Amino acid sequence: MTDNAMPDVGLDGASEFLRAAGLIPTLVTGTRVEGYVDLDERHHTPWGVVHGGVYATFVESAGSIGASAAVADRGQFAVGVHNATDFLRPSTGGRATVTAEPIQQGRTQQLWLVEVADDATGKTLARGQLRLQNVPLPS
């Protein structure tokens, strides 16, 4: 990427790993990211519930997308340096909404809060904080 435009953050532009995770962003700004994922057996542990690493991936992805959008006009993007995700209740699948908002946005670092909620019940499945470092875009 040579200009300050955001890359394709949808599934079409994603790596194989992110395509498998399945997060579909529906709103991307420097102050809010919204999206959804249809969780199913592809996301399960051997015990039939969604793997916690899937939720940590959503925290990392949504926070990174929003934080990068916040600094794109400065020729930067944001990389996660600490991901603390709490898994609050098990799920066997269904649509989940992912919402991310900044807690703090500074010149060199940002802190984002991300929530993953079950659409059917409205209950939070996981919640995480992602600290990110703002770095120059690769040339």
Side-chain angles (χ1 to χ4, degrees):
M1 187 161 86
T2 57
D3 60 20
N4 295 351
M6 284 286 291
D8 180 1
V9 295
L11 291 183
D12 290 340
S15 68
E16 188 173 338
F17 173 76
L18 292 177
R19 279 194 308 275
L23 176 62
I24 299 172
T26 57
L27 173 71
V28 174
T29 73
T31 57
R32 187 169 175 88
V33 174
E34 296 175 1
Y36 69 91
V37 62
D38 291 319
L39 299 168
D40 60 30
E41 61 279 347
R42 295 170 298 157
H43 302 98
H44 284 181
T45 68
W47 297 273
V49 296
V50 176
H51 193 289
V54 172
Y55 296 127
T57 297
F58 300 150
V59 169
E60 186 81 24
S61 295
S64 294
I65 290 168
S68 292
V71 297
D73 64 339
R74 299 189 329 216
Q76 295 180 311
F77 72 114
V79 295
V81 295
H82 181 74
N83 181 332
T85 301
D86 293 305
F87 316 116
L88 303 176
R89 60 182 38 87
S91 172
T92 57
R95 180 157 289 183
T97 297
V98 179
T99 307
E101 293 184 321
I103 296 170
Q104 186 269 337
Q105 292 180 294
R107 186 179 55 78
T108 60
Q109 289 195 340
Q110 300 183 55
L111 182 63
W112 281 66
L113 178 64
V114 183
E115 182 176 280
V116 182
D118 183 304
D119 274 17
T121 65
K123 292 183 178 182
T124 302
L125 300 171
R127 181 177 172 169
Q129 283 191 175
L130 181 67
R131 174 147 313 270
L132 304 107
Q133 184 77 27
N134 302 328
V135 297
L137 286 166
S139 48

